[in-house]
Amino acid sequence: MDPALPAVRLTVQEAIHTLSSSEDAGHILSTLGTLKRYLGSTEDPVLPEEKEEFATVHFSAILRCLVSKLSPGWLELSPDGQLEQLWESFFLDGPPDQAFLVLMEAIESTAGPSFRLMKMARLLDTFLHAGRVAALMEEQCRPQTKPSFPLFQETLLSKVVGLPDLLGNRLQRDNLTQFFPQNYFPLLGLEVVRALKAAVNFLQGGLDCSVSFVSRVLGKVCIQGRKKEILGVLVPQLTVLTQDSCLWQRVCWRLVEQVPDRAVEAVLTGLVEAAPRPEVLSRLLGNLVVKNKKARFVMTRKLLFLQYQHTTPMVQSLLGYLALDSQRRPLLIQVLKELLETWGSSSAVRHAPLEQQCYISKAILVCMAHLRESELQDVRDELLASMMAGVKCRLDSSLPPVRRLGMVVAEVISSRIHPEGPPLKFQYEEDEMSRELLALAAPGPASDCSLEARGPSPAPVATEPPVETPEKTMESDVCPAQPQGSDSELDSDDEFIPYDMSGDKELKSSKEPLYIRDCLEALTTSEDLERWEASLKVLEGLVYRNPQATREVSVELAKVLLHLEEKTCVAEFEQLRQRALVAVTVTDPEQVAKYLTSQFYGLNYSLRQRMDILDVLVLAAQALSRPRSLQRLSQHSSPASGTSSSPALAISQPDWQVVVEERIRSKTRRFSKGCPRREVSGVPNEFNSVAGYFFFPLLQHFDRPLVTFDLLGDDQLVLGRLTHTLASLMYLAVNTTVAVPMGKALLEFVWALRFHVDIYVRRGLLSAVSSVLLSVPTERLLGDLPDELLEARSWLADVAERDVDEDCRELAVRSLLLLERLKDKLLSSSSPQS
C-alpha cells in the first residue's frame, strides 16, 4: 500500500472532526484550505495518488459534513464572506458527479422551507449555470480506467433528468424559475452540446471516448415527453457543427445508435420533427435505418402507418431522408409498396379515419416525387394493381372527401407510371386538400427549375404586341393575310356601336301549356322539343295554381317525373324536375307519398332515382310542416314558372287593414316601444296527418335484398341517404300525434344498424337519435321508450369514446348532452310537485 494513502485518510478524519466541533473561524478556514489542496486548485497541490484517493473515497464525506454544518450562524463566523465562498468552492470545483449527487441528496432530505433548503437550491442553480452538468457528462464520456458501477450511473441519470420534478416537489411555491421544465431542458441541451464538443476534442487528440451516457440522458428526456425542449436547442447546434465535419457526423451517428431501445421511438420522432430538411436528418442519423431494426421499424412503419398526427413537412423530411442515400432507397421503394397496399385495402377505407387516409395519401405522393422513372418501371405492375384496388374502394365510398382523395391520388400515380399514355382525369371540385396533394406530387428540383425558367418570362417586352394587337391576331387566325394597302381595313365596322339586345326574348314556335293534362301529354308523347321544355318549366306553377286538377292525375304525374329523362340541353333540368315532383307531392301528399315509398324498394330503378325519391320526400315534408307552405312556395316559384301572366297578377295586393295599421303606426308618437312583433296566425301542421305515409314504408323492407338493390350490401350510399332522410322526417314530425310511434320505430332501426362499418351510415343513425330526442315530448320519451333510451345511451357513450370518425364522435356527444338536458328538465319539473 502506498504510504501516502493513510496520510490522506488521517487528514480527512481530522478535518471532519474539526469542522464538526470547532467554532473558530480561523481554524475552520485553515482546515478547509488544507482540504482544498486535494482538489488541485491551489498553488501547493498534493501528489496525484493522494488527489485520486481523496476524490474517489473521501470527497462525498467532506461534502456531507459541509452540508450538515450549513446554517446562518456558522456562515457568520467569517463576516467577510470568505467562509461561504470557500464552502461553495468545494461543490463547484470538485468532482461534478459527486457534488451533484450530494446536492440533490441534501435538498431531498431537508425538511420544510428553511435557510438550508433555499441555500442548497441557489447553489444548485449556480452549479447549473457554471457548466458543471456538462463537466459531469464529460467525465462519463472519458475512458474509464477503473470498473464502473451501473447503479451509480443509473442514479446519476435519474437525478439529472428528473431534476425539475424533484425540485418542484420539494420547493413547492418557492421553486426557482431555472428549475422549471421549459427552462431546465433547453439548458440541458446546451450542456449536451458542450459534452459532445469535449468528446470530439478527445477524438481529435487521439483518445478514446464513449457517448453512451449522453445517449441515455437524451433518450430518458425524450421518453418523459420533453423532446421539443431539448431537441429544439440541440438540433440547430448539431446542424451547424455537422455541416462541414465528418467527425461530428460520426459522433452524432454514435449518439443516436447508443440510445436505449425503449427510447428509440421518442428520440427519432423528435429528431424528424426538429430537423428542418432531409439533408440535416441524413447528417444526424446516417444509415441508422439500415443498421438498427428498431429504428427501421419506427421510421418506415410507426411514423407512417400507425401514427397520422405528424405535419406534412415532417413526412417530407422523413421520406426525403430515405431517398438521399443509395443504401436507403430500397427502403423508400418498399415503403411505397406498403403504403399503396394499405391505401388499396377496402378494410382500411371503411375503418380508418379520414385524417389517416389523407396522411397516407400525402406520404404516397411524396414517395412518388422522390422516385426515378427507372425505379418506377421496376415496380410498375405492383403499383398499378394497388392503385386500381384503392380507386375502386374509394369511388364506392359514401363520403365525398374519400372519393376526391382517390381521384387525386389515382391521377398522380397514373401520370407517373404511364407518362406516355393518355392521362387519367376525373371530374371533382378542387378544395384545399386536393390542392395540397397536387403540390406534394411535384418533385422539388423540377419545380424549382420550372420556377427559375419561368422567372424571366414576364419580361418579353420586345415580343409583346401593341395594345390593339389582340384583335389583329384574332383576325389573322381567322382570315388569310391581306396584302398591304388593301381595302379590307376600310370595310371594318369596329367604329359602330353594338345594338343593345339584352331585352330580346327568344321566339318560340309553340305556346306554353295552360293545363296540367296538357303538360302531362307533352312530357310523355310530344315530339316537339320546345313544347316539352316549356311544359317542364311551367309545370310547378300550374300544380300550385290548380291543386284540384293536380290531385286527379297526381300519381301518374309523379310517375312521369320520376322516370323523366333529359331530351334537350335544358338549364337546371334536375332542379326543375325535382321542384315539380315536390309540388305534386305537396299538393296530394298521401297518394304521391304512397307511390314514391313503394317505388323506393321496387325493381328496375337506378340508385339515382332512389335517392331522388328520398330527396323529394324530405323537401315535401319540409314544405308541409311549414306554416302557409303553399303560398310561400307559389310566390317563390312564380318568377321561375315561365308563364306569360302579368307581374301584377303574380304579386298579391296588400290588405287594406295592413295599410291602415301602417299609416296609424307611422302617425302615432310613443315615448317608448319594444321591438315590433308581427303576430303569426296559427295554422294546422299539414304534415301531421300524412307523416306516417312518408315514414313507415321506408322502414319495412330495408333488410330484404333485391336483384339490383341491396341496402345492407354494396349500396351503402343509398342506406346512408335513407338514414339521413328518416332523421329529417322524424325532426319535421315534431309535435305531431304520430311522433311517438315514429320515434320508437326509428330507434329500433338504429339499434339494428348501430355497428355498421360505413361512416356515412353511422352519421345518419346518430342524427336519427338526435331527431328522436328533439321531436318526441320528454314525458313520452321516458314513459314509452325507457329501455330504448338506456340502450341508446350506452351505445352513444361508446361511439363518443371509440369511433374513428370525428363527426360521429361529435354527434354522439351532442345526443348525450340532449339526454342529460331531458333528464334535468324532468327532474326540475317534478321537484315542485314533491
Side-chain angles (χ1 to χ4, degrees), residues 69 76 124 198 207 225 259 262 274 313 347 354 366 379 461 502 559 583 610 613 696 773 786 798 804:
K69 294 300 295 180
E76 288 176 359
L124 180 60
L207 300 177
V259 170
R262 65 181 182 275
S347 177
L354 179 62
V366 173
V379 293
V461 181
S502 59
K559 181 178 181 181
R610 300 182 198 274
I613 291 175
F696 291 108
L773 297 177
D798 184 71
V804 297

Side-chain angles (χ1 to χ4, degrees), residues 115-395:
F115 170 80
R116 178 182 296 178
L117 180 61
M118 296 309 301
K119 183 65 177 179
M120 300 301 297
R122 294 190 183 92
L123 179 59
L124 180 60
D125 187 15
T126 306
F127 185 89
L128 295 178
H129 284 87
R132 299 304 291 166
V133 175
L136 181 153
M137 290 186 284
E138 180 183 343
E139 286 294 328
Q140 302 301 318
C141 292
R142 293 179 183 273
Q144 301 295 327
T145 57
K146 295 183 179 181
S148 60
F149 299 96
L151 182 60
F152 175 78
Q153 284 197 346
E154 191 64 32
T155 304
L156 194 62
L157 176 66
S158 63
K159 300 297 183 184
V160 169
V161 178
L163 185 144
D165 295 334
L166 296 173
L167 269 294
N169 292 333
R170 201 71 197 88
L171 298 177
Q172 299 291 328
R173 296 181 181 274
D174 298 327
N175 195 10
L176 303 181
T177 58
Q178 185 55 51
F179 300 143
F180 292 169
Q182 62 269 25
N183 298 328
Y184 172 73
F185 288 109
L187 176 64
L188 185 60
L190 294 176
E191 301 295 276
V192 168
V193 174
R194 293 177 183 173
L196 293 178
K197 288 181 179 178
V200 171
N201 293 333
F202 292 156
L203 295 175
Q204 290 176 343
L207 300 177
D208 192 13
C209 67
S210 171
V211 293
S212 174
F213 183 79
V214 183
S215 299
R216 294 170 64 187
V217 169
L218 180 61
K220 197 172 184 64
V221 171
C222 293
I223 282 182
Q224 293 187 358
R226 296 295 176 178
K227 56 179 177 290
K228 288 185 178 180
E229 287 85 349
I230 189 170
L231 293 178
V233 175
L234 185 60
V235 170
Q237 298 274 349
L238 296 181
T239 300
V240 177
L241 293 171
T242 58
Q243 189 168 4
D244 299 320
S245 175
C246 296
L247 182 58
W248 264 104
Q249 294 182 20
R250 289 179 57 194
V251 170
C252 290
W253 299 348
R254 195 64 178 168
L255 175 70
V256 184
E257 288 174 4
Q258 293 190 347
V259 170
D261 285 346
R262 65 181 182 275
V264 167
E265 179 183 349
V267 173
L268 291 181
T269 303
L271 287 174
V272 176
E273 289 176 349
R277 297 181 306 277
E279 299 81 4
V280 175
L281 196 61
S282 180
R283 295 202 303 266
L284 298 180
L285 299 182
N287 286 331
L288 180 67
V289 292
V290 180
K291 304 175 183 177
N292 191 310
K293 292 183 179 180
K294 182 67 178 292
R296 187 184 314 136
F297 172 77
V298 171
M299 299 285 280
T300 62
R301 296 290 303 177
K302 196 76 175 285
L303 297 180
L304 294 175
F305 294 90
L306 304 180
Q307 300 174 0
Y308 56 91
Q309 76 275 12
H310 304 296
T311 61
T312 302
M314 176 179 169
V315 177
Q316 292 176 307
S317 294
L318 172 58
L319 297 174
Y321 159 74
L322 296 178
L324 281 178
D325 190 83
S326 59
Q327 297 183 19
R328 302 192 294 261
R329 289 191 72 86
L331 291 177
L332 180 67
I333 300 174
Q334 184 64 29
V335 164
L336 177 59
K337 291 180 183 179
E338 294 175 354
L339 284 171
L340 270 176
E341 183 179 355
T342 303
W343 190 80
S345 171
S346 59
S347 177
V349 175
R350 288 195 303 268
H351 297 95
L354 179 62
E355 294 80 5
Q356 186 174 13
Q357 297 187 41
C358 293
Y359 184 80
I360 292 178
S361 301
K362 292 177 183 178
I364 290 174
L365 298 183
V366 173
C367 286
M368 296 293 296
H370 283 296
L371 289 181
R372 307 184 185 96
E373 295 296 334
S374 58
E375 294 172 330
L376 286 174
Q377 295 304 318
D378 295 338
V379 293
R380 174 168 154 179
D381 295 336
E382 299 179 41
L383 301 183
L384 183 61
S386 300
M387 183 201 76
M388 296 301 295
V391 171
K392 181 182 181 303
C393 297
R394 276 165 173 77
L395 293 182

Side-chain angles (χ1 to χ4, degrees), residues 42 173 215 371 469 574 607-608 660 673 692 754 769 802 828:
T42 61
R173 296 181 181 274
S215 299
L371 289 181
T469 47
E574 292 295 337
L607 299 182
R608 179 70 263 172
V660 172
K673 61 179 180 178
R754 65 190 185 279
V769 175
R802 301 181 182 180
S828 61

Side-chain angles (χ1 to χ4, degrees), residues 430-472:
E430 286 193 4
D431 59 350
E432 184 178 355
M433 180 186 68
S434 60
R435 286 190 288 269
E436 182 181 2
L437 291 173
L438 292 175
L440 290 175
S447 61
D448 295 340
C449 294
S450 62
L451 289 175
E452 292 174 1
R454 280 193 299 243
S457 61
V461 181
T463 59
E464 280 192 2
V467 178
E468 67 272 8
T469 47
E471 299 177 0
K472 294 183 179 180

